[in-house]
Amino acid sequence: QKMADATEFMQTYRGIAAKLRKRFIRKPNTGEANEQFRGLASNLIRDANHQYAAFCCLAASRCEQAMANPTGEAERLTQAAQLFMDSHMEDSELSLPTVDENVTDAIQCYTMAAQIYLRAKRPTFAATLYMELANALTVFNRLEDAVSFYEQAALLLRECPMSAITAWTNALECKVRTQAYESALETTLRIADIAASAGSGLPLLGDGASDMFANATRACPPGPFRDTIATMETHAVLLLHLLAPPVRDTKTAFTALLTRYTQPADALTAPGNPALFYLLQSVVMAIGAADLDVLRELQRDLFPLLTPLQTDMLDLVVKAMQL
C-alpha cells in the first residue's frame, strides 16, 4: 500500500511539475501549479503523510519565488519545515528507525524563510522562526544545535528586551543540560546586562572588579527585570561551583560576586531576596567546608525558592561532592 501511495504521489507531483516546463511561445502557468501543489499538500496532510506534503510545500515555495512573492515563499518554506519536523516526530513516537534527514531539511527550510524575512527587514519574523526551530530541536534533544538558533533569535530581538531575555534564557538552559557551564556562566552576565539596561537604563558590564549583579539589582526598580537579575545571580553562584576551581578562579568578572557569598554579611542588607541570599551563602560555605550533611539539609530548604533549572544545578553540586 505504501509503495502504491508513493507511486501515486510521484505521478501527481510530476504531472503538476510538467506544467512548469517552458513551452514554445506559451509561458508556464506558475499560479495554477502553485495552487495544485498546495492542494496536493493539503490532501497529504489529511492522510498524515507529512514528508510528502513537505515536498509539495517546497515546490509551492519555488512557484512563489518565480512569481516574485517573497512573503508567500517564506510561508510555504515555513510550512515545509513544520511538516518535516512533524514527520520526524511521528517516526520517533512510533519507535520507527529515524534518520536526521527530515530534521536537516527542516533546519534548511526554516533558515531560508528567516533569511527572506531578514532581507525584507522584518527581523522579528525571522527571530520567531529561529525560536520555533530551536524549540523543536530541544524536543529532539538536539540541544547544541538549539543553542545556536536561540542565540540568533536573541540577537534579532535586541529591541524587545523581555523576548531577548527569553531566548537567551532558553540558550542558557541548553548549555547547562549539555554541561557547557563556562558558556552558561557568561550567558548569565549577558542576560543580567540586558535586564539592567532595560530596567534602569544603566548597563551592568563594568571593569569586573565591582559586584555587578548587586549594583544592577540596587539600580533596577522592582519588577520583572530586577527579578531576572536576581535569577541570573543565583544561576551564576551555582554555575561557579559546577566549574572546576582552576577555571572558576580565572573568571575575574565573577570574583566580587563569589566574595559576597563567601564572607560573613548581613543578609538583610543584601540586594534581592534575603532568605535566598542567606541560604545560598550557607551553601557556599558548606561547599567550602566539604560538609555534605549540611549541604543536603540546605538543599531541602532551598527547594521552594529555586527554579527547576537551579534545583537541578544544586543537585549536580551535591552529587559532585559525593564523588
Side-chain angles (χ1 to χ4, degrees), residues 27 38 50 52 61 75 88 106 109 122 133 165 175 185 199 201 206 239-240 253 255 259 269 287 290 294 317:
K27 292 182 178 179
R38 293 175 63 177
H50 293 143
Y52 285 167
S61 74
E75 290 173 350
H88 187 80
C109 290
R122 300 170 77 180
L133 171 56
I165 286 170
K175 291 175 182 181
L185 186 61
L239 284 165
L240 282 165
T255 301
T259 299
T269 66
I287 293 171
V294 171
V317 171

PDB file of all heavy atoms in Angstrom, residues 27 38 50 52 61 75 88 106 109 122 133 165 175 185 199 201 206 239-240 253 255 259 269 287 290 294 317:
ATOM      1  N   LYS A  27       3.913  30.684 -21.952  1.00  0.00           N
ATOM      2  CA  LYS A  27       4.595  30.683 -20.664  1.00  0.00           C
ATOM      3  C   LYS A  27       3.944  29.651 -19.745  1.00  0.00           C
ATOM      4  O   LYS A  27       2.747  29.409 -19.835  1.00  0.00           O
ATOM      5  CB  LYS A  27       4.511  32.069 -20.008  1.00  0.00           C
ATOM      6  CG  LYS A  27       5.305  33.143 -20.718  1.00  0.00           C
ATOM      7  CD  LYS A  27       5.202  34.467 -19.958  1.00  0.00           C
ATOM      8  CE  LYS A  27       6.030  35.544 -20.648  1.00  0.00           C
ATOM      9  NZ  LYS A  27       5.918  36.845 -19.913  1.00  0.00           N
ATOM     10  N   ARG A  38      -0.217  23.124  -3.545  1.00  0.00           N
ATOM     11  CA  ARG A  38      -0.774  23.385  -2.214  1.00  0.00           C
ATOM     12  C   ARG A  38      -1.974  22.467  -1.938  1.00  0.00           C
ATOM     13  O   ARG A  38      -2.164  21.992  -0.812  1.00  0.00           O
ATOM     14  CB  ARG A  38      -1.175  24.855  -2.091  1.00  0.00           C
ATOM     15  CG  ARG A  38       0.035  25.796  -2.117  1.00  0.00           C
ATOM     16  CD  ARG A  38      -0.359  27.253  -2.109  1.00  0.00           C
ATOM     17  NE  ARG A  38      -1.067  27.623  -0.878  1.00  0.00           N
ATOM     18  CZ  ARG A  38      -1.469  28.865  -0.614  1.00  0.00           C
ATOM     19  NH1 ARG A  38      -1.237  29.842  -1.496  1.00  0.00           N
ATOM     20  NH2 ARG A  38      -2.105  29.132   0.510  1.00  0.00           N
ATOM     21  N   HIS A  50       3.176  13.500   6.091  1.00  0.00           N
ATOM     22  CA  HIS A  50       3.747  14.838   6.248  1.00  0.00           C
ATOM     23  C   HIS A  50       5.022  15.056   5.442  1.00  0.00           C
ATOM     24  O   HIS A  50       5.288  16.179   5.012  1.00  0.00           O
ATOM     25  CB  HIS A  50       3.997  15.105   7.731  1.00  0.00           C
ATOM     26  CG  HIS A  50       2.727  15.201   8.521  1.00  0.00           C
ATOM     27  ND1 HIS A  50       2.602  14.724   9.802  1.00  0.00           N
ATOM     28  CD2 HIS A  50       1.501  15.690   8.189  1.00  0.00           C
ATOM     29  CE1 HIS A  50       1.374  14.933  10.245  1.00  0.00           C
ATOM     30  NE2 HIS A  50       0.687  15.500   9.286  1.00  0.00           N
ATOM     31  N   TYR A  52       5.817  13.824   2.384  1.00  0.00           N
ATOM     32  CA  TYR A  52       5.453  14.143   1.007  1.00  0.00           C
ATOM     33  C   TYR A  52       4.784  15.512   0.931  1.00  0.00           C
ATOM     34  O   TYR A  52       4.979  16.267  -0.029  1.00  0.00           O
ATOM     35  CB  TYR A  52       4.517  13.072   0.440  1.00  0.00           C
ATOM     36  CG  TYR A  52       5.207  11.761   0.089  1.00  0.00           C
ATOM     37  CD1 TYR A  52       4.452  10.609  -0.174  1.00  0.00           C
ATOM     38  CD2 TYR A  52       6.592  11.675   0.009  1.00  0.00           C
ATOM     39  CE1 TYR A  52       5.069   9.406  -0.500  1.00  0.00           C
ATOM     40  CE2 TYR A  52       7.208  10.474  -0.308  1.00  0.00           C
ATOM     41  CZ  TYR A  52       6.445   9.340  -0.559  1.00  0.00           C
ATOM     42  OH  TYR A  52       7.055   8.156  -0.878  1.00  0.00           O
ATOM     43  N   SER A  61       6.784  26.785  -2.755  1.00  0.00           N
ATOM     44  CA  SER A  61       7.643  27.930  -2.422  1.00  0.00           C
ATOM     45  C   SER A  61       8.434  28.388  -3.640  1.00  0.00           C
ATOM     46  O   SER A  61       8.656  29.591  -3.838  1.00  0.00           O
ATOM     47  CB  SER A  61       8.599  27.575  -1.277  1.00  0.00           C
ATOM     48  OG  SER A  61       9.650  26.723  -1.705  1.00  0.00           O
ATOM     49  N   GLU A  75       6.286  31.731   3.693  1.00  0.00           N
ATOM     50  CA  GLU A  75       5.208  30.980   4.341  1.00  0.00           C
ATOM     51  C   GLU A  75       5.226  29.514   3.932  1.00  0.00           C
ATOM     52  O   GLU A  75       5.032  28.616   4.757  1.00  0.00           O
ATOM     53  CB  GLU A  75       3.859  31.616   3.998  1.00  0.00           C
ATOM     54  CG  GLU A  75       3.640  32.974   4.671  1.00  0.00           C
ATOM     55  CD  GLU A  75       2.382  33.662   4.186  1.00  0.00           C
ATOM     56  OE1 GLU A  75       1.776  33.173   3.190  1.00  0.00           O
ATOM     57  OE2 GLU A  75       2.002  34.689   4.786  1.00  0.00           O
ATOM     58  N   HIS A  88       9.361  13.685  11.428  1.00  0.00           N
ATOM     59  CA  HIS A  88      10.378  13.124  12.316  1.00  0.00           C
ATOM     60  C   HIS A  88       9.774  12.753  13.668  1.00  0.00           C
ATOM     61  O   HIS A  88      10.086  11.695  14.232  1.00  0.00           O
ATOM     62  CB  HIS A  88      11.508  14.134  12.508  1.00  0.00           C
ATOM     63  CG  HIS A  88      12.675  13.592  13.271  1.00  0.00           C
ATOM     64  ND1 HIS A  88      13.634  12.792  12.696  1.00  0.00           N
ATOM     65  CD2 HIS A  88      13.032  13.715  14.581  1.00  0.00           C
ATOM     66  CE1 HIS A  88      14.538  12.444  13.598  1.00  0.00           C
ATOM     67  NE2 HIS A  88      14.192  12.998  14.754  1.00  0.00           N
ATOM     68  N   ALA A 106      14.334  20.391   7.624  1.00  0.00           N
ATOM     69  CA  ALA A 106      13.570  21.398   8.368  1.00  0.00           C
ATOM     70  C   ALA A 106      14.450  22.592   8.718  1.00  0.00           C
ATOM     71  O   ALA A 106      14.031  23.750   8.569  1.00  0.00           O
ATOM     72  CB  ALA A 106      12.977  20.782   9.629  1.00  0.00           C
ATOM     73  N   CYS A 109      14.934  24.705   5.663  1.00  0.00           N
ATOM     74  CA  CYS A 109      13.731  25.465   5.293  1.00  0.00           C
ATOM     75  C   CYS A 109      13.502  26.639   6.237  1.00  0.00           C
ATOM     76  O   CYS A 109      13.190  27.752   5.795  1.00  0.00           O
ATOM     77  CB  CYS A 109      12.511  24.554   5.286  1.00  0.00           C
ATOM     78  SG  CYS A 109      12.485  23.355   3.941  1.00  0.00           S
ATOM     79  N   ARG A 122      12.458  42.457   8.312  1.00  0.00           N
ATOM     80  CA  ARG A 122      11.440  42.027   9.277  1.00  0.00           C
ATOM     81  C   ARG A 122      12.105  41.065  10.269  1.00  0.00           C
ATOM     82  O   ARG A 122      11.824  39.859  10.302  1.00  0.00           O
ATOM     83  CB  ARG A 122      10.274  41.360   8.548  1.00  0.00           C
ATOM     84  CG  ARG A 122       9.599  42.290   7.539  1.00  0.00           C
ATOM     85  CD  ARG A 122       8.610  41.548   6.651  1.00  0.00           C
ATOM     86  NE  ARG A 122       7.360  41.265   7.329  1.00  0.00           N
ATOM     87  CZ  ARG A 122       6.338  40.614   6.755  1.00  0.00           C
ATOM     88  NH1 ARG A 122       6.438  40.202   5.484  1.00  0.00           N
ATOM     89  NH2 ARG A 122       5.242  40.384   7.427  1.00  0.00           N
ATOM     90  N   LEU A 133      12.249  26.908  15.601  1.00  0.00           N
ATOM     91  CA  LEU A 133      13.202  25.859  15.232  1.00  0.00           C
ATOM     92  C   LEU A 133      13.967  25.371  16.456  1.00  0.00           C
ATOM     93  O   LEU A 133      14.112  24.155  16.680  1.00  0.00           O
ATOM     94  CB  LEU A 133      14.173  26.395  14.179  1.00  0.00           C
ATOM     95  CG  LEU A 133      15.378  25.510  13.829  1.00  0.00           C
ATOM     96  CD1 LEU A 133      14.945  24.130  13.389  1.00  0.00           C
ATOM     97  CD2 LEU A 133      16.219  26.182  12.746  1.00  0.00           C
ATOM     98  N   ILE A 165      15.537  38.231  26.434  1.00  0.00           N
ATOM     99  CA  ILE A 165      15.876  37.525  27.672  1.00  0.00           C
ATOM    100  C   ILE A 165      15.350  36.091  27.621  1.00  0.00           C
ATOM    101  O   ILE A 165      16.032  35.143  28.030  1.00  0.00           O
ATOM    102  CB  ILE A 165      15.314  38.281  28.889  1.00  0.00           C
ATOM    103  CG1 ILE A 165      16.145  39.540  29.146  1.00  0.00           C
ATOM    104  CG2 ILE A 165      15.296  37.388  30.126  1.00  0.00           C
ATOM    105  CD1 ILE A 165      15.551  40.486  30.174  1.00  0.00           C
ATOM    106  N   LYS A 175      22.698  25.016  27.505  1.00  0.00           N
ATOM    107  CA  LYS A 175      24.123  24.930  27.828  1.00  0.00           C
ATOM    108  C   LYS A 175      24.346  24.166  29.127  1.00  0.00           C
ATOM    109  O   LYS A 175      25.277  23.354  29.239  1.00  0.00           O
ATOM    110  CB  LYS A 175      24.718  26.335  27.925  1.00  0.00           C
ATOM    111  CG  LYS A 175      24.786  27.066  26.597  1.00  0.00           C
ATOM    112  CD  LYS A 175      25.272  28.502  26.759  1.00  0.00           C
ATOM    113  CE  LYS A 175      25.282  29.228  25.430  1.00  0.00           C
ATOM    114  NZ  LYS A 175      25.775  30.629  25.561  1.00  0.00           N
ATOM    115  N   LEU A 185      27.757  30.384  32.159  1.00  0.00           N
ATOM    116  CA  LEU A 185      28.098  31.432  33.122  1.00  0.00           C
ATOM    117  C   LEU A 185      28.199  32.785  32.426  1.00  0.00           C
ATOM    118  O   LEU A 185      27.700  33.799  32.938  1.00  0.00           O
ATOM    119  CB  LEU A 185      29.407  31.076  33.816  1.00  0.00           C
ATOM    120  CG  LEU A 185      29.856  31.981  34.957  1.00  0.00           C
ATOM    121  CD1 LEU A 185      28.832  31.973  36.084  1.00  0.00           C
ATOM    122  CD2 LEU A 185      31.226  31.554  35.477  1.00  0.00           C
ATOM    123  N   GLY A 199      15.766  47.879  32.562  1.00  0.00           N
ATOM    124  CA  GLY A 199      15.057  48.266  33.772  1.00  0.00           C
ATOM    125  C   GLY A 199      15.483  49.581  34.369  1.00  0.00           C
ATOM    126  O   GLY A 199      14.675  50.295  34.960  1.00  0.00           O
ATOM    127  N   GLY A 201      18.241  51.594  32.691  1.00  0.00           N
ATOM    128  CA  GLY A 201      18.979  52.423  31.743  1.00  0.00           C
ATOM    129  C   GLY A 201      20.474  52.386  31.984  1.00  0.00           C
ATOM    130  O   GLY A 201      21.237  53.036  31.276  1.00  0.00           O
ATOM    131  N   GLY A 206      31.048  46.164  33.548  1.00  0.00           N
ATOM    132  CA  GLY A 206      31.989  47.115  34.124  1.00  0.00           C
ATOM    133  C   GLY A 206      33.397  46.593  34.012  1.00  0.00           C
ATOM    134  O   GLY A 206      33.731  45.862  33.086  1.00  0.00           O
ATOM    135  N   LEU A 239      26.570  27.921  39.075  1.00  0.00           N
ATOM    136  CA  LEU A 239      27.467  27.543  37.983  1.00  0.00           C
ATOM    137  C   LEU A 239      28.932  27.665  38.398  1.00  0.00           C
ATOM    138  O   LEU A 239      29.770  26.856  37.971  1.00  0.00           O
ATOM    139  CB  LEU A 239      27.190  28.414  36.748  1.00  0.00           C
ATOM    140  CG  LEU A 239      25.930  28.049  35.967  1.00  0.00           C
ATOM    141  CD1 LEU A 239      25.537  29.174  35.013  1.00  0.00           C
ATOM    142  CD2 LEU A 239      26.148  26.754  35.188  1.00  0.00           C
ATOM    143  N   LEU A 240      29.232  28.677  39.193  1.00  0.00           N
ATOM    144  CA  LEU A 240      30.612  28.829  39.656  1.00  0.00           C
ATOM    145  C   LEU A 240      31.087  27.596  40.423  1.00  0.00           C
ATOM    146  O   LEU A 240      32.271  27.256  40.405  1.00  0.00           O
ATOM    147  CB  LEU A 240      30.730  30.073  40.543  1.00  0.00           C
ATOM    148  CG  LEU A 240      30.779  31.407  39.798  1.00  0.00           C
ATOM    149  CD1 LEU A 240      30.528  32.567  40.751  1.00  0.00           C
ATOM    150  CD2 LEU A 240      32.111  31.580  39.076  1.00  0.00           C
ATOM    151  N   ALA A 253      35.348  38.472  36.280  1.00  0.00           N
ATOM    152  CA  ALA A 253      34.083  39.205  36.301  1.00  0.00           C
ATOM    153  C   ALA A 253      33.162  38.716  37.408  1.00  0.00           C
ATOM    154  O   ALA A 253      32.233  39.420  37.799  1.00  0.00           O
ATOM    155  CB  ALA A 253      33.386  39.083  34.951  1.00  0.00           C
ATOM    156  N   THR A 255      34.433  37.427  40.420  1.00  0.00           N
ATOM    157  CA  THR A 255      35.156  37.360  41.688  1.00  0.00           C
ATOM    158  C   THR A 255      34.404  38.071  42.798  1.00  0.00           C
ATOM    159  O   THR A 255      34.250  37.540  43.912  1.00  0.00           O
ATOM    160  CB  THR A 255      36.554  37.988  41.529  1.00  0.00           C
ATOM    161  OG1 THR A 255      37.276  37.283  40.527  1.00  0.00           O
ATOM    162  CG2 THR A 255      37.317  37.930  42.851  1.00  0.00           C
ATOM    163  N   THR A 259      32.867  36.510  46.228  1.00  0.00           N
ATOM    164  CA  THR A 259      33.341  37.046  47.508  1.00  0.00           C
ATOM    165  C   THR A 259      32.173  37.394  48.422  1.00  0.00           C
ATOM    166  O   THR A 259      32.220  37.151  49.634  1.00  0.00           O
ATOM    167  CB  THR A 259      34.218  38.279  47.267  1.00  0.00           C
ATOM    168  OG1 THR A 259      35.353  37.914  46.489  1.00  0.00           O
ATOM    169  CG2 THR A 259      34.677  38.888  48.593  1.00  0.00           C
ATOM    170  N   THR A 269      20.849  43.244  54.465  1.00  0.00           N
ATOM    171  CA  THR A 269      21.378  44.355  53.677  1.00  0.00           C
ATOM    172  C   THR A 269      21.708  43.940  52.250  1.00  0.00           C
ATOM    173  O   THR A 269      22.092  44.775  51.445  1.00  0.00           O
ATOM    174  CB  THR A 269      22.646  44.925  54.336  1.00  0.00           C
ATOM    175  OG1 THR A 269      23.681  43.925  54.298  1.00  0.00           O
ATOM    176  CG2 THR A 269      22.372  45.326  55.776  1.00  0.00           C
ATOM    177  N   ILE A 287      29.954  24.080  51.019  1.00  0.00           N
ATOM    178  CA  ILE A 287      30.805  23.508  49.970  1.00  0.00           C
ATOM    179  C   ILE A 287      32.271  23.725  50.326  1.00  0.00           C
ATOM    180  O   ILE A 287      33.105  22.812  50.192  1.00  0.00           O
ATOM    181  CB  ILE A 287      30.478  24.141  48.606  1.00  0.00           C
ATOM    182  CG1 ILE A 287      29.065  23.748  48.158  1.00  0.00           C
ATOM    183  CG2 ILE A 287      31.502  23.735  47.559  1.00  0.00           C
ATOM    184  CD1 ILE A 287      28.572  24.496  46.936  1.00  0.00           C
ATOM    185  N   ALA A 290      33.270  21.352  52.813  1.00  0.00           N
ATOM    186  CA  ALA A 290      33.033  19.960  52.392  1.00  0.00           C
ATOM    187  C   ALA A 290      32.089  19.245  53.348  1.00  0.00           C
ATOM    188  O   ALA A 290      32.279  18.060  53.652  1.00  0.00           O
ATOM    189  CB  ALA A 290      34.352  19.206  52.249  1.00  0.00           C
ATOM    190  N   VAL A 294      25.274  19.067  55.875  1.00  0.00           N
ATOM    191  CA  VAL A 294      24.686  20.409  55.913  1.00  0.00           C
ATOM    192  C   VAL A 294      24.188  20.804  54.529  1.00  0.00           C
ATOM    193  O   VAL A 294      23.102  21.394  54.391  1.00  0.00           O
ATOM    194  CB  VAL A 294      25.713  21.438  56.436  1.00  0.00           C
ATOM    195  CG1 VAL A 294      25.176  22.864  56.256  1.00  0.00           C
ATOM    196  CG2 VAL A 294      26.036  21.168  57.896  1.00  0.00           C
ATOM    197  N   VAL A 317      25.714  19.851  42.072  1.00  0.00           N
ATOM    198  CA  VAL A 317      26.756  20.255  43.014  1.00  0.00           C
ATOM    199  C   VAL A 317      26.846  19.241  44.152  1.00  0.00           C
ATOM    200  O   VAL A 317      27.942  18.822  44.555  1.00  0.00           O
ATOM    201  CB  VAL A 317      26.448  21.665  43.574  1.00  0.00           C
ATOM    202  CG1 VAL A 317      27.412  21.993  44.711  1.00  0.00           C
ATOM    203  CG2 VAL A 317      26.579  22.713  42.472  1.00  0.00           C
TER     204      VAL A 317
END
